[in-house]
Every structure is written in structure tokens, then in C-alpha cells.
């Protein structure tokens, strides 16, 4: 199994669920994480990543970490300073239409979105509300382009798109697609030589459907146009995702593997959870399992069954622990507080 991993955690793309998978794998195998300084949750995002943002990194004695997976704006020469040269690089993309709808709800308080009633109003005259010089403008245009380290406001041309795609392909071993999450997990398992239980998960950081808005065809087209660089990146890698599956796994085996994954997840739902799935934040009984609520989104969570044996309870709890709580616990384990 591969144990040296760089995951570029692209915003609003099921990346919190992937992060939970990496947290569990790292914890099980006693791996080290490249944590943000002081145990924060982002590597000084939206600045480009620097090695010195990592707790425990020192240029004098460069310690290498196994897993780098917290939010960052990608800059490979700096990333290479903190992970072994053998590290596998991957990321996840999401259809820019759904991505923008999600980003609008989640970052409703950002400078570009705070003065409009809805996404339609923003897209009718985006330049009225969007100011590229504002520090939080990245949430409002070509968010994936930005996270990969490129200029989200660059002119769209065939040459630029080709350069960006080539640069991503040169840096990353593979990209997952959040619309095909189960297939993505099977591909991840294949590429990292992991076992089935390493890639099972429950969806984390997902929104209550009451805060999701349906989009008209004209709004969809406007989103694609406004996020043209993201759209080009997404369509390219959505295509190569399936080419890779045909080449490395084959559709028939993929179907079998997805079925096995879904059956295992259904089994874990029956084992671990009260009810059949996620619940609204106010219904989460254990406050340590309550995810951070943000913007206009209502983030769902889980209730564990009572009376589980110790080992099962530990496994189930790790599956449903929200990102911030899990990150803090792993940070304390890796950097135990010094007693006074």
C-alpha cells in the first residue's frame, strides 16, 4: 500500500469525505500528517502553499511527512519540500455548475455574494459584485483553477487551457470526479493498492437538501461561461477519468467493485448508525460529532448506535467524525502538548 500521499483538497467537491479516508488510513498505519502551523485547518489558504506553513517543518533538517491533505493553494516546488519524492499526488474535481451553486450557499458572506439575493442575481451582472482584488474573491470564480494554483481571472484561450491541463497532468498522478464518487474510490483503491475497508466512507460535510437550489438552463449556461477555465479543466479530466478506468480496470470489474463497496457501506450503516443516514445539525445528540455550520448551508451529521462494543464504536466514530474535530485529535496525537 502507498503511504506517501498528496491530496489537493479542492473546495466543495466531496473532498472532506476523501480527507476522512486519509485521516483513518494515516491513523491506522501510524503515518505523519503535514499539519498547518499551530494546528489550524488550512495551510494559509488562499496564499500559495509554502513549506514553512507546515508544523514541524524546518529547512535545516527537512522532515518529510507522509500525508499532505489540508486545504492549500497548490505550488508543487514547495510541496516537494515536505513530502517524500515517492508521494502519489491526486485531487478531486466537481462539475463547476454544482460547485458554484454550493460555493454560493457556503460562502454567502463573501464579498462577491453578500449583496445579492441569489445566484441568478449575481450572474446577471457578476462584474458589479465581483472584485478580483478582494481576498475572498477566489470563492466566486473558477475556484478549482484557483486551488490548482492558476490565475482564475486569466483570459480563456485554447493555448492557456492546454497549458493548465498539461501542468496538472505533469503534477498529479490521477484526478477523481465527485459525481462518480464510488467509481473514484475504486480507482483510488487501485492506484494506492489499498483494501476495501480503507476506502469505505459516509458522506461528510454535506448540505441539507432544503438549502440546495435548482438552476434554470440559462443560469447553468451563465455559470459555465463565468467559470470557463474550471469547465474546461473538468470536461477534460472527466473524459480521461473514464479512459483510465477502461484501461486499468475495465467497466465490468468496475461495476463489481462498486457493488462490493456499496454493500460494505450499507453493512456499516446498519452496524454504526441510528436510523439510515445523516440527520440535521440540531438532531445530532453527541456534540463532538456536530460539524461546523457555515454560510447559508445546513451541514448534516450522524448519530451512532448506543451499546456498541469498544472496537466497533471506535471504528464507527472515526467514520462520522467531522473534519475539524478529527484533524484536531490527530494533531494532538502527533504533537502532544508539552506539560507545564
Amino acid at each position: 500500500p502507498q503511504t506517501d500521499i498528496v491530496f489537493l483538497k479542492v473546495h466543495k467537491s466531496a473532498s472532506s469525505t476523501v480527507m476522512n479516508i486519509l485521516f483513518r488510513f494515516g491513523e491506522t498505519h501510524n503515518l505523519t500528517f503535514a499539519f498547518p502551523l499551530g494546528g489550524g485547518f488550512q495551510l494559509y489558504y488562499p496564499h500559495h502553499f509554502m513549506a514553512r506553513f507546515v508544523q514541524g517543518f524546518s529547512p535545516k533538517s527537512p522532515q518529510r511527512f507522509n500525508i499532505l491533505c489540508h486545504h492549500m493553494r497548490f505550488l508543487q516546488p514547495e510541496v516537494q519540500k515536505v513530502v517524500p519524492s515517492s508521494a502519489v499526488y491526486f485531487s478531486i474535481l466537481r462539475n463547476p455548475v454544482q460547485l458554484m451553486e454550493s460555493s454560493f450557499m457556503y460562502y454567502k458572506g463573501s464579498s462577491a455574494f453578500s449583496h445579492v439575493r441569489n445566484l441568478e442575481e449575481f450572474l446577471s451582472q457578476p462584474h458589479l459584485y465581483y472584485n478580483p482584488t478582494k481576498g475572498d474573491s477566489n470563492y466566486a470564480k473558477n475556484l478549482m483553477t484557483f486551488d490548482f494554483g492558476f490565475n482564475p481571472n486569466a483570459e480563456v484561450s485554447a493555448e492557456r487551457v492546454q497549458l493548465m491541463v498539461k501542468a496538472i497532468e505533469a503534477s498529479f498522478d490521477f484526478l477523481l470526479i465527485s459525481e462518480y464518487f464510488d467509481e473514484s474510490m475504486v480507482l483510488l483503491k487501485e492506484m494506492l493498492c489499498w483494501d476495501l475497508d480503507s476506502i469505505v466512507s459516509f458522506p461528510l460535510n454535506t448540505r441539507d437538501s432544503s438549502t440546495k437550489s435548482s438552476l434554470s438552463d440559462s443560469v447553468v449556461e451563465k455559470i459555465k461561461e463565468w467559470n470557463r477555465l474550471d469547465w474546461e479543466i473538468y470536461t477534460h479530466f472527466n473524459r480521461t477519468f473514464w479512459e483510465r478506468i477502461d484501461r486499468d480496470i475495465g467497466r465490468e470489474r468496475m461495476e463489481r467493485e462498486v457493488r462490493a463497496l456499496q454493500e460494505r457501506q450499507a453493512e456499516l450503516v446498519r452496524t454504526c448508525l441510528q436510523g439510515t443516514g445523516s440527520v440535521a445539525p440540531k438532531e445530532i445528540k453527541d456534540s463532538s460529532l456536530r460539524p461546523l455550520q457555515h454560510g447559508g448551508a445546513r451541514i448534516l451529521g450522524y448519530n451512532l448506535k448506543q451499546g456498541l462494543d469498544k472496537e466497533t464504536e471506535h471504528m464507527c466514530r472515526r467514520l462520522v467524525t467531522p473534519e475539524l474535530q478529527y484533524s484536531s485529535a490527530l494533531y494532538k496525537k502527533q504533537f502532544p502538548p508539552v506539560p507545564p
Side-chain angles (χ1 to χ4, degrees):
Q2 287 282 355
T3 54
D4 298 326
I5 291 158
V6 174
F7 172 54
L8 178 63
K9 187 175 185 285
V10 170
H11 285 77
K12 315 313 308 154
S13 303
S15 56
S16 294
T17 308
V18 178
M19 198 177 191
N20 176 272
I21 288 169
L22 295 175
F23 280 168
R24 285 184 287 126
F25 186 85
E27 186 183 10
T28 304
H29 295 84
N30 258 330
L31 305 177
T32 56
F33 290 89
F35 283 109
L37 272 177
F41 302 111
Q42 300 196 343
L43 290 152
Y44 288 75
Y45 188 86
H47 299 285
H48 272 105
F49 176 80
M50 302 293 280
R52 59 186 164 82
F53 297 163
V54 172
Q55 182 74 42
F57 171 80
S58 148
K60 291 190 186 72
S61 59
Q63 183 199 350
R64 300 278 195 244
F65 299 89
N66 298 115
I67 299 179
L68 174 61
C69 63
H70 286 73
H71 273 309
M72 63 171 159
R73 189 173 183 205
F74 190 66
L75 187 60
Q76 192 163 16
E78 288 291 315
V79 168
Q80 285 167 332
K81 294 177 185 176
V82 299
V83 294
S85 55
S86 59
V88 176
Y89 287 67
F90 76 99
S91 185
I92 189 164
L93 301 175
R94 184 182 186 185
N95 184 314
V97 175
Q98 279 72 49
L99 179 74
M100 177 137 206
E101 188 273 330
S102 177
S103 188
F104 180 81
M105 283 310 294
Y106 203 78
Y107 301 110
K108 189 71 185 74
S110 67
S111 58
F113 296 149
S114 57
H115 298 297
V116 292
R117 282 188 304 270
N118 52 35
L119 195 47
E120 206 162 340
E121 191 179 338
F122 172 80
L123 290 161
S124 63
Q125 293 173 292
H127 292 291
L128 206 62
Y129 309 106
Y130 174 79
N131 178 350
T133 63
K134 286 279 198 310
D136 58 2
S137 65
N138 50 297
Y139 297 122
K141 185 177 190 181
N142 288 318
L143 181 49
M144 294 190 289
T145 301
F146 183 89
D147 284 358
F148 276 94
F150 306 114
N151 175 7
N153 298 295
E155 201 182 335
V156 182
S157 66
E159 295 77 24
R160 176 174 295 278
V161 168
Q162 201 181 358
L163 280 171
M164 282 184 359
V165 163
K166 288 264 185 293
I168 294 170
E169 284 175 338
S171 299
F172 289 84
D173 296 287
F174 56 102
L175 294 190
L176 307 174
I177 302 288
S178 66
E179 281 75 22
Y180 305 104
F181 192 79
D182 290 345
E183 290 85 353
S184 291
M185 291 305 100
V186 171
L187 183 65
L188 183 70
K189 174 169 89 77
E190 190 76 7
M191 301 302 297
L192 301 178
C193 299
W194 287 7
D195 62 8
L196 181 66
D197 270 11
S198 297
I199 56 147
V200 294
S201 63
F202 294 155
L204 295 175
N205 207 23
T206 53
R207 280 186 297 156
D208 184 344
S209 53
S210 69
T211 64
K212 294 179 183 172
S213 45
S214 56
L215 306 169
S216 67
D217 292 350
S218 72
V219 167
V220 166
E221 288 312 311
K222 282 177 183 165
I223 291 176
K224 286 184 196 172
E225 204 40 61
W226 177 246
N227 298 282
R228 178 56 63 186
L229 292 172
D230 271 11
W231 182 252
E232 297 292 344
I233 288 175
Y234 175 78
T235 48
H236 173 85
F237 286 105
N238 187 12
R239 190 178 68 248
T240 57
F241 175 80
W242 291 101
E243 287 168 4
R244 175 157 223 155
I245 284 169
D246 289 337
R247 190 183 72 224
D248 295 352
I249 301 176
R251 299 282 170 120
E252 273 180 49
R253 188 176 142 222
M254 174 55 88
E255 275 176 33
R256 285 200 306 276
E257 295 258 3
V258 164
R259 214 164 29 245
L261 174 63
Q262 289 170 346
E263 281 165 10
R264 179 66 181 128
Q265 281 174 184
E267 192 185 326
L268 285 168
V269 167
R270 291 191 295 272
T271 303
C272 296
L273 301 182
Q274 287 181 27
T276 55
S278 51
V279 296
K282 62 176 186 298
E283 288 166 29
I284 301 168
K285 299 181 180 104
D286 181 341
S287 61
S288 71
L289 296 178
R290 200 170 290 141
L292 172 78
Q293 302 299 311
H294 202 284
R298 286 225 322 251
I299 308 299
L300 303 171
Y302 297 93
N303 285 318
L304 291 179
K305 272 190 177 153
Q306 301 293 301
L308 297 170
D309 67 78
K310 205 172 169 186
E311 200 178 324
T312 309
E313 206 270 348
H314 179 67
M315 173 196 68
C316 293
R317 181 170 286 275
R318 288 156 78 231
L319 275 163
V320 300
T321 299
E323 180 185 321
L324 304 191
Q325 287 94 311
Y326 207 156
S327 184
S328 293
L330 291 172
Y331 177 82
K332 286 193 187 95
K333 191 176 159 189
Q334 192 168 311
F335 300 102
V338 183

